[in-house]
Amino acid sequence: MEAKYDVVVIGAGVAGAVLAWKLKSLKPGASVLLLDAGDNTLDAATRKRFVSVFSTASNKDALSPYQRLETSKTVPSPDLGSPDKHYIQAGPDRFKSNYVRIVGGSTWAWRGNCPRWIPSDFELKARYGVGENWPLSYGDIEPYFCDAEDELGVAGDHGEQADFQGAFRSRGFPMEAIKQAYGDQVLKKAVDGFETEGKTVKIVATPQARNSKPYQGRSECKGNANCIPICPSGAKYDASVHIAKYLEAGKQTGSGRADTAWRTLVTRLDVAPDGNIRSVHFRDARNAKAPERMVEARFVVMAGNAIESPRLWLASRLRNDRDLVGRFLMDHLAGEVTGYTADPIWPFRGPQNTSSIFDFRDGDFRKASGAFNLTVGNDGWGRKRHPFSALDDSIWDPANKQIKAFGKNLQNDLVQGPKAVTKLVRIGYSTEQLPEPDNRVMLAEEKDEFGMARPRIAYKVSDYSIRALEMGHRVAHAILHHAGVAIDETPEAMPAYNGAGHPMGTLRMGSSASDSVVNDVGRAHGHPNLYAVGSSIFVTGSSVNPTLLLTALALRTAQQMAAAL
């Protein structure tokens, strides 16, 4: 590590990795340092170790492959199912999404879904009188959507997605869509054309950052059913791809330094009298007692998520004149409806999701209720019920405490029984949440072992979101009922919401400092050499995954920063 760099990027998730690589591509002579608290390497052996740890873990959740990393024991983050390990929940409702702080970020453990946002997602207030408008339009971002699809390697059906709800496409996908699972095809035949809640249902292939053919040196999808938490083959994109490209760019003749510093926990930024960020301070992420060190930078980029970036901003006491930093926290509140098909559909063969229903992402109902996206699960009942539970039901009679079936009888029951593993089906719904100023990240009085204030989260699920959850549940129920699925709950029995792992907002972009923290390229209004990338700069949340958009915006920011360099 040098004493000073042109650019220091904090966070090696997809936003930070893509931006660092793009900067080196556009400005080879620039010196760049990419920092991250994680301590994992990025080679095939590391992936193999992650798979091995996952295969032997007794608790197979979204973070289990990474539990043996040294920094996962020292650097605090919210565990799956127990976010209070890191968060201080100020209520009145609980913020339920988690994340993993490793090199490559949460793309190690994501599902890979990459649908584009649609024009109305950027014009929510203008069209429906709720939320806010972005300082950018869909047309402004569309070329970067194309570039992001190429960089992530998105497989999709151009014919299905072209001009969908006004989202025109100037370029095709780099790969044809991943083949839809057999169960999805059965459901598609049964429900395409079905009308409910004023919409006509159509099941389409999910655009996803997963190779349907060999692409950029990575293999095609091998059909593993554990995309969350780890892709064994590397066919699903993760940010190690662009970290490797960034390091390779630094080896080119005449290139400035392209350095990395893993196991590096950034604790604060130091501000010069002119408002520029002067230095980045950090400590060894493996040792809370290690001395603080620092590095200087011409430009600094916050590339953490929507919890850690505002936490660092507030801990550094950066400009926050209108108390906007940390506000407008959003997520995609989610639920699912499950049941059993009449005949076996054989889930768990291929990715966990290959099909979606996008028809409810837009409409006049958004004036009073959030939009929602529906996904067809190829993973049985998903997080709701482990397939081992079906095995338990078939084997064991708890009332009489005796074995019900074994041998051939058990095999037949598991395949053909009314509640067979082969008949598990689900439709998940992911709902839009409005940017509410009182949903926010603050600094708690409680500190972690590094002496940093823990994130204190105030969070309330509004009536707008509750109506979206209720409508999503009704629609998912109606679709499965129309398909003849034996559903295990009533249309009114909406379960408690889940978090989608998509924290957004908290450093949102805008045209002026009066209503935003950064401008439309992520540059801080109050600090000329400070940028932010990632979902923290989102203005609204849409109802679909944020990764494609945050990648597109990171590419756009890198282009603007390169001009400044």
Side-chain angles (χ1 to χ4, degrees):
M1 189 186 301
E2 295 291 301
K4 185 173 183 177
Y5 290 84
D6 290 317
V7 182
V8 172
V9 182
I10 304 167
V14 59
V18 166
L19 178 133
W21 161 75
K22 190 65 175 179
L23 277 177
K24 287 299 296 179
S25 300
L26 295 173
K27 287 289 183 178
S31 59
V32 181
L33 174 64
L34 182 60
L35 301 172
D36 198 275
D39 65 342
N40 54 295
T41 52
L42 304 169
D43 56 12
T46 296
R47 186 180 300 276
K48 188 175 181 179
R49 284 195 297 273
F50 285 162
V51 173
S52 176
V53 171
F54 172 61
S55 67
T56 58
S58 57
N59 182 25
K60 297 185 187 301
D61 63 28
L63 303 184
S64 58
Y66 318 106
Q67 61 187 0
R68 295 185 189 174
L69 292 172
E70 188 174 3
T71 54
S72 71
K73 301 172 184 177
T74 56
V75 179
S77 61
D79 281 351
L80 187 69
S82 56
D84 299 351
K85 177 182 176 182
H86 184 45
Y87 305 146
I88 301 297
Q89 300 273 6
D93 298 318
R94 294 181 75 242
F95 186 76
K96 296 184 178 182
S97 281
N98 68 316
Y99 46 87
V100 56
R101 297 174 75 180
I102 64 174
V103 179
S106 295
T107 51
W108 279 102
W110 71 319
R111 187 163 282 139
N113 294 0
C114 279
R116 288 190 180 191
W117 288 33
I118 56 178
S120 57
D121 291 334
F122 301 96
E123 304 167 1
L124 199 56
K125 191 172 186 65
R127 296 195 185 204
Y128 302 118
V130 297
E132 295 292 340
N133 298 325
W134 287 59
L136 299 169
S137 69
Y138 176 86
D140 294 327
I141 301 172
E142 199 279 335
Y144 299 97
F145 271 140
C146 295
D147 293 342
E149 288 166 347
D150 287 345
E151 288 303 322
L152 301 183
V154 178
D157 187 314
H158 180 75
E160 286 182 336
Q161 298 300 315
D163 299 318
F164 175 76
Q165 292 178 337
F168 67 90
R169 298 181 57 84
S170 62
R171 200 155 76 218
F173 290 101
M175 285 172 282
E176 66 178 19
I178 295 287
K179 298 301 182 184
Q180 291 170 279
Y182 174 69
D184 298 7
Q185 296 176 41
V186 171
L187 198 64
K188 181 178 177 67
K189 290 179 181 178
V191 303
D192 267 13
F194 170 61
E195 294 186 5
T196 182
E197 302 278 352
K199 295 282 188 179
T200 301
V201 171
K202 183 179 180 182
I203 295 179
V204 299
T206 303
Q208 49 195 288
R210 179 178 289 102
N211 295 348
S212 60
K213 64 179 182 181
Y215 184 76
Q216 294 188 349
R218 296 181 289 127
S219 73
E220 73 277 8
C221 177
K222 303 297 186 182
N224 295 288
N226 50 284
C227 316
I228 295 177
I230 179 69
C231 174
S233 68
K236 181 191 72 174
Y237 173 87
D238 62 69
S240 68
V241 170
H242 278 92
I243 296 172
K245 292 176 72 171
Y246 159 72
L247 293 172
E248 186 61 32
K251 297 177 183 178
Q252 302 304 311
T253 303
S255 175
R257 296 177 67 97
D259 289 348
T260 61
W262 308 150
R263 302 175 294 277
T264 302
L265 182 66
V266 176
T267 54
R268 63 186 176 92
L269 307 180
D270 184 43
V271 184
D274 63 359
N276 281 301
I277 304 302
R278 179 165 46 196
S279 56
V280 177
H281 294 248
F282 56 89
R283 300 170 76 176
D284 188 326
R286 299 164 297 179
N287 182 4
K289 297 181 180 179
E292 189 175 75
R293 299 168 60 197
M294 55 87 74
V295 62
E296 294 183 358
R298 286 179 58 200
F299 293 94
V300 175
V301 182
M302 283 190 178
N305 62 33
I307 306 296
E308 296 300 329
S309 284
R311 180 189 181 207
L312 177 59
W313 189 297
L314 293 169
S316 303
R317 299 184 179 181
L318 304 184
R319 290 281 296 271
N320 188 18
D321 296 339
R322 292 168 177 78
D323 194 27
L324 293 175
V325 174
R327 292 189 183 271
F328 309 107
L329 175 65
M330 298 171 285
D331 192 9
H332 290 137
L333 307 183
E336 52 197 352
V337 175
T338 58
Y340 301 91
T341 56
D343 298 311
I345 58 170
W346 307 98
F348 306 105
R349 300 183 301 168
Q352 293 163 330
N353 165 249
T354 62
S355 302
S356 297
I357 301 168
F358 292 137
D359 306 289
F360 298 87
R361 289 180 54 192
D362 198 25
D364 283 342
F365 66 88
R366 291 176 86 179
K367 294 175 181 177
S369 172
F372 55 94
N373 176 47
L374 299 164
T375 55
V376 181
N378 186 38
D379 54 350
W381 283 11
R383 72 175 75 187
K384 187 174 180 180
R385 190 186 193 210
H386 198 283
F388 288 171
S389 299
L391 179 63
D392 291 340
D393 289 346
S394 296
I395 292 177
W396 186 248
D397 179 356
N400 297 311
K401 296 184 178 180
Q402 63 183 25
I403 292 176
K404 290 195 297 186
F406 60 92
K408 287 290 185 183
N409 291 335
L410 175 59
Q411 292 176 18
N412 291 335
D413 195 31
L414 288 173
V415 174
Q416 297 291 347
K419 295 186 177 181
V421 175
T422 60
K423 298 180 178 181
L424 297 175
V425 64
R426 73 176 181 88
I427 292 181
Y429 48 92
S430 177
T431 66
E432 176 182 34
Q433 188 173 22
L434 291 179
E436 303 282 353
D438 292 334
N439 286 350
R440 61 187 302 195
V441 178
M442 301 168 284
L443 297 182
E445 293 183 2
E446 296 86 346
K447 298 183 184 299
D448 63 26
E449 60 183 288
F450 288 89
M452 295 186 67
R454 291 169 61 186
R456 183 171 184 265
I457 299 180
Y459 194 68
K460 178 176 173 55
V461 179
S462 70
D463 291 342
Y464 187 86
S465 294
I466 290 172
R467 286 190 286 269
L469 286 164
E470 291 172 342
M471 187 176 175
H473 187 84
R474 287 197 311 271
V475 168
H477 193 285
I479 291 171
L480 290 180
H481 178 75
H482 182 76
V485 172
I487 303 172
D488 69 326
E489 57 195 66
T490 68
E492 296 78 23
M494 186 190 75
Y497 65 90
N498 296 314
H502 300 159
M504 299 170 286
T506 68
L507 295 178
R508 72 170 174 180
M509 67 164 61
S511 56
S512 74
S514 64
D515 61 1
S516 59
V517 180
V518 300
N519 68 9
D520 66 352
V521 294
R523 187 174 185 173
H525 292 303
H527 300 284
N529 71 334
L530 176 63
Y531 287 78
V533 292
S535 59
S536 64
I537 66 175
F538 284 16
V539 180
T540 56
S542 182
S543 57
V544 296
N545 311 64
T547 307
L548 185 70
L549 176 58
L550 70 86
T551 302
L553 292 173
L555 290 169
R556 185 173 181 270
T557 296
Q559 189 177 65
Q560 296 291 322
M561 288 188 68
L565 286 170

